[in-house]
Amino acid sequence: MKFAWIDLRTVPQARLESVVDAAIHTRMQGVLCDDESVLKALPPTVTAVTTAAVTEEKQLYGLDADAAWVDVHDEPSLRLACAAAVALPHTVVRFADPTKIPLEIVLAAADRSAGKLITVCADLEEAATVLDVLERGSDGVLLAPSDAGEVFALARLLEAGTSPLELTTLTVDRIEHHGLGDRVCVDTCTHFAEDEGILVGSYSTGFILCCSETHPLPYMPTRPFRVNAGALHSYVLGPENRTNYLSELGSGSTTLAVNSEGRTRPVTVGRAKLESRPLLTITARSADDTVVSLTVQDDWHVRVLGPGGKVHNVTELRQGDELLGYLATDQRHVGFPIGEFCKEH
């Protein structure tokens, strides 16, 4: 679990009380401050940290402290940060240069250690980057907020993540072939696993798991970053139970990668390709008779996933075949779930 310490030392006095209240309300793990009266007023759920409790770099070479602060600005200080991160329960590191390579080196050095690495961040944008470096990211961040709003924004950042979905088995009811229409390939900035794709559907209440192009194809190389997702009108399920139309996705958008067991992760879209192709519509039903519809390119190399990650070429689907899908009870308004009457067919 990622965590944060809030640095109060530069917070303006007029905003100090509101920032402390925000830190307590959002359950920040620690508060760094040199004012003992502020620290004594903290509840026991928040760790009080003083600069006196964090050993300075010049005192650290014996590595006999409980916590350390290391300013990394050259190779010797980088080696010291690595040693501290391996040996000590807590190591706070501030990097002089904007590159994240020194952080990568410290993370790699301390990969199997029990200690916690806290990286000093200048702002929320840097905190978001630091938490993802080398996929593992820093265990914690230290941020000096300008106001209470930044504390709440940091809390949301720490909670960012995607919950697993309960996928359901759908049974193919019929396949209909159409003429030309516009379909979207979603090219992401990640490699998909073989049993991973994105959830797409014509109705807001039901989605089919569309397979990525990670499996070998005749006549063309694999493209493990791509999902040939469906017609441009289709809904695609994203993080936080939001949907987008496939036509809305573009460079920098975020969507949700989902595997055959329902595990999810956010992925960044690098490009969306809209092209005219022959289309077909898959109509399937759940065990409770919920109808799910998906219109995709009418071609053998377009694939959807079934239970156990079984790969189905859409042109070979037959009545009775089983697919993986996701059922949602919410209707949608501009992508947000909403409890209103709406009938899609």
Side-chain angles (χ1 to χ4, degrees):
M1 177 70 73
K2 303 295 184 180
F3 64 89
W5 288 359
I6 298 299
D7 189 348
L8 299 179
R9 294 175 298 169
T10 60
V11 175
Q13 187 63 38
R15 298 177 181 172
L16 185 62
E17 183 177 355
S18 63
V19 169
V20 171
D21 287 345
I24 295 170
H25 181 78
T26 56
R27 298 177 181 268
M28 290 292 161
Q29 190 188 81
V31 165
L32 175 62
C33 184
D34 289 332
D35 186 333
E36 288 290 340
S37 64
V38 172
L39 296 179
K40 287 181 179 179
L42 293 173
T45 54
V46 181
T47 301
V49 184
T50 65
T51 51
V54 183
T55 302
E56 295 181 4
E57 179 178 332
K58 63 184 179 181
Q59 300 173 304
L60 187 60
Y61 289 91
L63 295 178
D64 57 356
D66 291 324
W69 181 300
V70 184
D71 284 297
V72 174
H73 49 85
D74 56 15
E75 186 175 351
S77 58
L78 177 59
R79 289 199 301 268
L80 182 61
C82 291
V86 169
L88 302 181
H90 292 88
T91 302
V92 181
V93 184
R94 181 168 55 193
F95 296 95
D97 298 312
T99 175
K100 295 298 179 282
I101 291 176
L103 174 57
E104 292 178 4
I105 293 171
V106 176
L107 287 171
D111 185 53
R112 299 184 184 278
S113 67
K116 300 298 183 182
L117 182 72
I118 301 103
T119 302
V120 179
C121 297
D123 50 38
L124 290 166
E125 183 177 0
E126 185 178 14
T129 301
V130 160
L131 292 169
D132 280 339
V133 168
L134 283 188
E135 297 186 26
R136 166 191 160 176
S138 181
D139 298 300
V141 296
L142 175 65
L143 180 72
S146 59
D147 55 32
E150 288 197 352
V151 179
F152 286 105
L154 179 59
R156 291 192 295 271
L157 180 63
L158 293 171
E159 292 172 356
T162 55
S163 302
L165 297 174
E166 185 176 349
L167 300 183
T168 191
T169 298
L170 305 171
T171 302
V172 174
D173 190 34
R174 65 183 184 274
I175 303 293
E176 299 170 277
H177 298 267
H178 313 297
L180 280 178
D182 293 335
R183 69 95 174 100
V184 178
C185 277
V186 181
D187 292 349
T188 69
C189 301
T190 190
H191 277 72
F192 285 93
E194 290 187 353
D195 70 336
E196 205 175 25
I198 61 178
L199 287 163
V200 187
S202 292
Y203 307 151
S204 61
T205 51
F207 306 82
I208 290 174
L209 188 53
C210 294
C211 185
S212 58
E213 295 186 6
T214 54
H215 301 272
L217 293 165
Y219 315 116
M220 60 188 299
T222 60
R223 294 182 172 90
F225 54 83
R226 170 175 294 175
V227 179
N228 192 324
L232 80 167
H233 75 281
S234 308
Y235 287 112
V236 57
L237 188 65
E240 299 179 355
N241 196 24
R242 289 289 306 277
T243 59
N244 289 99
Y245 295 119
L246 284 176
S247 62
E248 294 175 334
L249 296 184
S251 181
S253 300
T254 302
T255 192
L256 199 64
V258 184
N259 78 355
S260 60
E261 296 180 351
R263 290 196 298 271
T264 66
R265 61 188 176 100
V267 295
T268 301
V269 176
R271 170 181 55 241
K273 290 181 61 182
L274 189 151
E275 298 165 311
S276 293
R277 296 288 189 269
L279 301 177
L280 66 80
T281 295
I282 305 164
T283 302
R285 294 178 182 270
S286 66
D288 65 359
D289 212 32
T290 299
V291 177
V292 178
S293 176
L294 173 63
T295 299
V296 296
Q297 181 180 343
D298 189 346
D299 196 283
W300 181 84
H301 79 279
V302 180
R303 293 161 165 174
V304 290
L305 289 168
K310 183 178 180 180
V311 178
H312 295 272
N313 303 311
V314 295
T315 53
E316 295 181 348
L317 286 173
R318 298 292 181 264
Q319 188 178 37
D321 286 343
E322 292 186 337
L323 306 178
L324 281 175
Y326 175 68
L327 302 181
T329 58
D330 303 304
Q331 301 299 330
R332 301 284 165 170
H333 182 67
V334 294
F336 289 98
I338 184 170
E340 67 173 2
F341 173 78
C342 177
K343 184 176 181 180
E344 299 170 298
H345 56 85

